[in-house]
Amino acid sequence: MTNEFVKLEFEGPLALITVDRPKALNALNQQVFSELDVAISQIIARPDTRALIVTGGGEKAFVAGADIAEMSGYTPAQALALSARGQQVFARLEALAIPTIAAVSGFALGGGLELALACDLIFASEKAKLGVPEVSLAVIPGFGGTQRLTRLLGRSRAKELIFTGDPVDAAKAREIGLVLEVLAPEALLPRCKEVALKIASRGPVAVAQAKRVVEAGADLPLREANELERQAFAVLFGTDDQKEGMRAFLEKRKAAFKNA
Ligand code: CAA
């Protein structure tokens, strides 16, 4: 399969996915989903990758949503299949063992915001506009947006965004906790890389376990979630990296982790 719309690059320990279909503001059609799926598999196949950045190509958009032209004539059965496909690909992205960062500049609307929400952290440029405008098309978010937005922002704020369909600008997105930081457009990718490289310098097994317990624990009662944390904490004491990390601290030197 050609990578027409999804570019995957590796830079040292980092992977960078660019959804690059600027003529349609990077809208997610079936081909984009297939190419995203392949890119995720290629990242999984490179165990030395420590973090992933997801961004959009062109000046105007991160991703402006699902492809409206493609889905406009869909039957309910086709819509079900589209939603299942989008949810499945975003679930694979979310389930990556490595941390993922969405670098959002321009429009992140509908499926585009849902793509960002499937990442662990969202950074935005001053030009970002984020929202879920689906009700203006008389549909609802279908790639996990109603659920991830609600878990991230709480019901009230999520409902406001979903019911009105109005996008928020970057400053508002930061105020409500949708994005972590707002940067000048030219500073967005460098900042995301800086954060990704910092994460990449930490104990890789620990970072992966931290991601796993945060994610799995969010769906569990506190007592069970703490049990997950306890088990992961114990498992890490069986790794070479834990010995190295603590030895390096005591010897006042930088740790050299092996992901083992
Ligand atoms: N699907 C298909 N094509 C899209 C698109 C989308 N989501 N968003 C933009 N495009 C296309 C436009 O049709 C246009 O194509 P042509 O040049 O061939 O006419 C091109 O991208 C440029 O877009 P505009 O001319 O509209 O650019 P603008 O600057 O005037 O407006 C915009 C930008 C406000 C983002 C506007 O394009 C827009 O409202 N896009 C749709 C956003 C949207 O509703 N997204 C949600 C989709 S539904 C969804 O995602 C469902 C789900 O969860 C499963």
Side-chain angles (χ1 to χ4, degrees):
M1 196 175 99
T2 59
N3 290 345
E4 190 181 353
F5 298 138
V6 176
K7 308 239 166 350
L8 173 62
E9 295 159 276
F10 292 97
E11 272 182 37
L14 308 185
L16 178 70
I17 284 180
T18 307
V19 180
D20 197 16
R21 198 189 163 213
K23 279 190 187 150
L25 302 188
N26 306 326
L28 304 166
N29 64 7
Q30 295 285 353
Q31 187 178 337
V32 173
F33 275 119
S34 297
E35 293 185 17
L36 268 177
D37 211 19
V38 170
I40 292 167
S41 297
Q42 288 172 336
I43 292 166
I44 293 169
R46 299 234 332 199
D48 288 346
T49 308
R50 295 279 177 270
L52 164 67
I53 297 168
V54 180
T55 195
E59 294 289 302
K60 278 184 70 178
F62 175 71
V63 167
D67 191 310
I68 299 169
E70 189 179 72
M71 72 182 158
S72 60
Y74 276 9
T75 63
Q78 287 173 307
L80 182 66
L82 172 68
S83 177
R85 175 69 169 147
Q87 289 184 357
Q88 178 236 346
V89 173
F90 289 180
R92 283 193 79 213
L93 173 65
E94 188 175 58
L96 281 173
I98 54 172
T100 54
I101 300 176
V104 173
S105 195
F107 296 107
L109 300 176
L113 181 55
E114 293 172 292
L115 170 62
L117 287 165
C119 296
D120 296 310
L121 314 173
I122 306 178
F123 288 76
S125 90
E126 289 154 352
K127 287 196 196 160
K129 285 253 187 296
L130 308 96
V132 273
E134 281 89 341
V135 291
S136 15
L137 301 166
V139 295
I140 63 170
F143 301 149
T146 59
Q147 305 310 309
R148 289 197 181 92
L149 208 51
T150 303
R151 281 163 172 74
L152 184 65
L153 303 183
R155 284 188 203 184
S156 184
R157 189 62 87 177
K159 284 175 182 168
E160 181 196 17
L161 293 179
I162 295 166
F163 295 173
T164 66
D166 284 341
V168 291
D169 64 17
K172 182 73 177 179
R174 186 170 183 281
E175 183 195 317
I176 64 178
L178 182 55
V179 308
L180 280 177
E181 287 180 26
V182 179
L183 299 129
E186 65 280 7
L188 177 65
L189 264 186
R191 174 65 181 144
C192 290
K193 286 183 186 178
E194 181 185 38
V195 174
L197 284 172
K198 177 171 286 188
I199 292 169
S201 74
R202 306 309 195 203
V205 191
V207 171
Q209 288 290 333
K211 174 167 172 170
R212 189 180 67 79
V213 300
V214 169
E215 284 299 320
D219 293 330
L220 295 174
L222 183 62
R223 211 178 276 262
E224 287 172 44
N226 271 339
E227 173 64 26
L228 276 187
E229 182 191 77
R230 193 155 64 239
Q231 295 300 333
F233 185 75
V235 162
L236 289 167
F237 278 75
T239 64
D240 292 346
D241 281 353
Q242 175 269 327
K243 304 284 174 267
E244 167 62 10
M246 293 196 180
R247 207 183 305 122
F249 173 81
L250 294 172
E251 293 170 3
K252 301 187 189 307
R253 62 173 172 82
K254 197 168 177 291
F257 295 122
K258 295 187 305 194
N259 194 20

